[in-house]
Amino acid sequence: MKEKILAFAPAVAIVIGLMALGILGMYTLDNQSGHTGADPYVALYVFIPVLIAGVLCGIARFRVRGSITRSVYAIVIGCIGIIFLIYLDKSSTLLQYSVWLLRGMP
């Protein structure tokens, strides 16, 4: 049972992380104004758990001598999501409306 959970949890994290990246990416491409009502950093509530799931399942799989490939993918997707959010913020590509106003409406 533990083996099935250790294989299933990173797979679910990968799917959720890829979906969040896809939705955020499509929204960014579709949004021509550069600002949005929602805070893009809310997506951290997805990417941080994906990263944590990858790390914890990777550690557990490593201890039982299992393959950690899915865990590595989950870690990479979590990191890519966090880096993507930071890029969107620092490049002023997608900002919350109030932040956009504070930065002088770039």
Side-chain angles (χ1 to χ4, degrees):
M1 180 69 169
K2 182 179 178 181
E3 193 68 28
K4 288 182 182 181
I5 292 172
L6 289 176
F8 186 69
V12 170
I14 290 168
V15 170
I16 292 171
L18 287 175
M19 287 174 51
L21 272 173
I23 290 169
L24 189 61
M26 287 189 302
Y27 184 75
T28 301
L29 290 174
D30 189 48
N31 185 345
Q32 299 299 319
S33 65
H35 60 81
T36 182
D39 186 9
Y41 279 110
V42 169
L44 286 175
Y45 289 113
V46 174
F47 297 125
I48 290 175
V50 168
L51 179 65
I52 291 171
V55 169
L56 293 179
C57 290
I59 291 169
R61 292 286 288 193
F62 187 72
R63 286 185 161 184
V64 295
R65 306 270 190 240
S67 174
I68 61 168
T69 305
R70 290 182 186 163
S71 297
V72 171
Y73 288 149
I75 292 168
V76 169
I77 290 169
C79 289
I80 288 172
I82 293 168
I83 291 168
F84 185 54
L85 287 172
I86 293 169
Y87 166 76
L88 291 176
D89 182 47
K90 297 300 180 188
S91 68
S92 297
T93 305
L94 186 64
L95 300 171
Q96 186 176 14
Y97 186 71
S98 60
V99 174
W100 184 69
L101 289 174
L102 289 172
R103 291 189 186 175
M105 299 177 285

